[in-house]
Amino acid sequence: MLTIGTPAPDFNLYSTPDQRYTLQDFQGKNLILAFYPADWSPVCGDQMSLYNEMLQLFRKQNASLLGVSVDSKWCHMAYTQARNLHFPLLADFEPKGAMAKAYEAYDDKEGQCHRALYVIDGSGIIRWNFLSPPAVNPGADGILDALEKIQAKK
């Protein structure tokens, strides 16, 4: 995991076949990055569904959320529609895991993302991180605490 207080690495990835996101797209807003192993896995489904329900609380803290896995943009489109998710999922597909590797959230042994969370402030600085065991949904309490601390400093 990258160190708290360091600049977040840039990225430029597809979420759908015709839409890409970069770190600069979120300048001035807090950003939550939720790396997860795979679409369609039970724990990932529970985690992404929880975050979907928490979106209003994240937005109250001036935050956007991006899910990130090595699944393709086509897989993410089907998963987003099936789960009725209202936030983008980034396809860290080609080169496989490049963003996850930049954020030290790539599992070389399994060839997928670790279950890792980052909160980045509006100036692109990492303010919180968490690495969860693969089979454990990390929930949202740590994210909300980190966002509240960022907002309190303003």
Side-chain angles (χ1 to χ4, degrees), residues 13-70:
L13 294 177
Y14 282 103
S15 67
T16 67
D18 59 356
Q19 188 170 20
R20 299 180 76 101
Y21 286 96
T22 67
L23 181 62
Q24 288 78 28
D25 293 334
F26 301 93
Q27 192 168 21
K29 294 190 73 169
N30 299 313
L31 179 62
I32 304 157
L33 295 178
F35 291 89
Y36 63 97
D39 292 345
W40 310 106
S41 79
V43 176
C44 297
D46 291 347
Q47 183 184 7
M48 295 302 117
S49 294
L50 171 66
Y51 295 163
N52 201 45
E53 293 175 19
M54 304 290 293
L55 283 176
Q56 289 301 323
L57 291 175
F58 295 155
R59 289 178 181 146
K60 284 182 181 177
Q61 300 292 332
N62 190 34
S64 295
L65 168 67
L66 295 172
V68 185
S69 78
V70 297

Side-chain angles (χ1 to χ4, degrees), residues 55-127:
L55 283 176
Q56 289 301 323
L57 291 175
F58 295 155
R59 289 178 181 146
K60 284 182 181 177
Q61 300 292 332
N62 190 34
S64 295
L65 168 67
L66 295 172
V68 185
S69 78
V70 297
D71 296 293
S72 74
K73 56 192 169 192
W74 299 104
C75 186
H76 281 331
M77 269 185 54
Y79 186 67
T80 297
Q81 290 172 357
R83 290 276 181 173
N84 196 27
L85 299 177
H86 298 285
F87 60 91
L89 301 176
L90 299 183
D92 197 6
F93 185 72
E94 184 60 37
K96 184 178 180 182
M99 179 179 172
K101 290 173 185 172
Y103 279 82
E104 299 179 2
Y106 188 75
D107 184 342
D108 286 310
K109 184 177 177 186
E110 297 294 328
Q112 62 191 22
C113 295
H114 285 295
R115 192 174 308 284
L117 299 168
Y118 282 96
V119 173
I120 300 165
D121 70 15
S123 59
I125 303 298
I126 295 169
R127 295 299 175 197

